[in-house]
Amino acid sequence: MEHEQPSLRSARVTGPIDASVTRPRFSVSTRSTWRRWRDRFFFVLFFASVAIGILGLAALVIDVMTDGLGALDFSFINSYPSRHAEESGIRAALFGTIWITVGTAAFAIPIGVGTAIFLEEFAPDHWSVRLVQLNIANLAGVPSIIYGILGLALFVQAFALGRSVLAGSLTMTLLVLPIVVIVSQEAIKAVPGEYRDAAFALGANRWQVVKTVVLPQAIPGIMSGIILALSRAVGEAAPMLMISSLVFLTFIPSSPGDRFTVLPVQIFNWVSLPQPGFQAVASAGIIVLLAVLLSLNSIAIWIRNRYQTRY
């Protein structure tokens, strides 16, 4: 004999009902008020964090401008370092920084972007590839002085390049290469897969897809990584103290094999001198360094915006 199962509608609840279970703990208006106050709290917290950072940076810039603008003139730009503050200039360090920056870009950009393209577009999904990517990410957090010691042992001594512009450029390439690789990989990953599928459907091979579809779309992100990398290369002093360690250089490098000095090393030396006149000279050097950084960033941003408009 078949028995019908009681439906949920016909089921009755027996026994007393706990009012604390059925009644909401907080009313709708109470929850809305709590959310509004929570949102305001975090807005104020994040705004205060940004304001503190901007105000601190503005205070540093104003202090540097106040101390250094009086010493900044054409004679300062066109003179070599001296033991007298009023005769000191930044010509050798400025041109040395330009040499190091250009050399670092010449090595780091093709190697870093090429590595990112290989890892994202051509390398198989294998444990060895994942191990390489993990090591690249770890290298991005290594202190810069370690790269200076590595460059001193490898390029200066083992390869017998001496304390030259080439050795400094290769050392800075090791320093910034993980940044270029990681940011370039993220830019390549951000290209939609549908673009690749459409190119393959039209008969393009993998290299044609990378060259005509992936790279043009990824160049704005890649340029952001290059901006970060070169900005760090220009502002690093610790590796250059190991490679160059020159502060009274009275000539401009004319080839990759010449000795050199850079702006951070020169500024560090001026700050460490006890004479009060060198503090103003150091501030003027900081202004020149900021100008170089802003110029490099402006060029990279122009290239990035141009490709964003085109594609």
Side-chain angles (χ1 to χ4, degrees):
M1 184 175 181
E2 298 180 356
H3 297 280
E4 295 182 357
Q5 297 293 334
S7 63
L8 294 176
R9 293 181 178 179
S10 60
R12 296 181 178 179
V13 179
T14 60
I17 300 176
D18 190 358
S20 63
V21 176
T22 58
R23 184 180 302 171
R25 188 171 183 180
F26 296 103
S27 64
V28 175
S29 60
T30 304
R31 289 199 298 269
S32 300
T33 303
W34 162 248
R35 289 174 181 172
R36 286 196 299 270
W37 280 106
R38 183 184 59 186
D39 293 343
R40 292 175 182 175
F41 170 76
F42 282 107
F43 174 80
V44 172
L45 178 63
F46 297 147
F47 180 81
S49 301
V50 174
I52 291 173
I54 294 176
L55 291 176
L57 178 61
L60 291 175
V61 172
I62 292 173
D63 182 66
V64 169
M65 293 292 181
T66 303
D67 294 338
L69 285 177
L72 184 61
D73 53 15
F74 181 76
S75 177
F76 174 77
I77 300 296
N78 201 39
S79 300
Y80 292 103
S82 173
R83 299 187 182 277
H84 304 284
E86 61 276 5
E87 300 176 1
S88 293
I90 208 165
R91 179 182 174 89
L94 178 60
F95 280 91
T97 298
I98 295 174
W99 269 96
I100 292 296
T101 304
V102 173
T104 303
F107 288 112
I109 293 175
I111 296 175
V113 176
T115 302
I117 292 173
F118 174 76
L119 292 176
E120 290 299 324
E121 299 293 331
F122 295 97
D125 187 11
H126 192 260
W127 65 268
S128 60
V129 177
R130 293 192 293 270
L131 180 62
V132 170
Q133 292 179 334
L134 178 62
N135 288 328
I136 291 174
N138 291 333
L139 287 174
V142 174
S144 60
I145 188 64
I146 303 299
Y147 288 102
I149 297 173
L150 178 62
L152 178 63
L154 185 62
F155 302 123
V156 176
Q157 298 178 357
F159 291 171
L161 296 177
R163 298 179 181 273
S164 60
V165 171
L166 182 59
S169 299
L170 291 173
T171 301
M172 299 309 295
T173 298
L174 294 180
L175 175 66
V176 304
L177 197 58
I179 301 175
V180 178
V181 174
I182 293 172
V183 179
S184 299
Q185 281 186 269
E186 295 300 324
I188 293 172
K189 287 179 184 178
V191 178
E194 292 81 2
Y195 293 0
R196 298 177 177 86
D197 296 338
F200 283 127
L202 292 174
N205 57 34
R206 183 169 293 277
W207 170 242
Q208 289 173 333
V209 171
V210 171
K211 182 178 67 173
T212 60
V213 176
V214 176
L215 276 182
Q217 295 291 329
I219 277 180
I222 293 174
M223 290 305 301
S224 299
I226 293 173
I227 291 171
L228 294 174
L230 293 182
S231 297
R232 184 178 181 185
V234 171
E236 282 289 347
M240 294 297 96
L241 285 172
M242 303 295 297
I243 303 299
S244 173
S245 68
L246 292 177
V247 292
F248 290 103
L249 199 66
T250 57
F251 62 88
I252 297 174
S254 58
S255 68
D258 290 344
R259 297 292 299 270
F260 71 99
T261 189
V262 290
L263 288 171
V265 174
Q266 188 66 70
I267 294 170
F268 172 78
N269 176 71
W270 282 334
V271 171
S272 62
L273 294 176
Q275 293 86 349
F278 282 105
Q279 306 305 316
V281 175
S283 298
I286 294 174
I287 296 174
V288 175
L289 180 59
L290 290 176
V292 173
L293 284 172
L294 292 176
S295 300
L296 293 174
N297 291 346
S298 299
I299 294 172
I301 290 171
W302 176 78
I303 297 174
R304 183 182 64 186
N305 293 337
R306 181 180 178 184
Y307 273 90
Q308 282 180 337
T309 305
R310 179 178 297 181
Y311 297 99

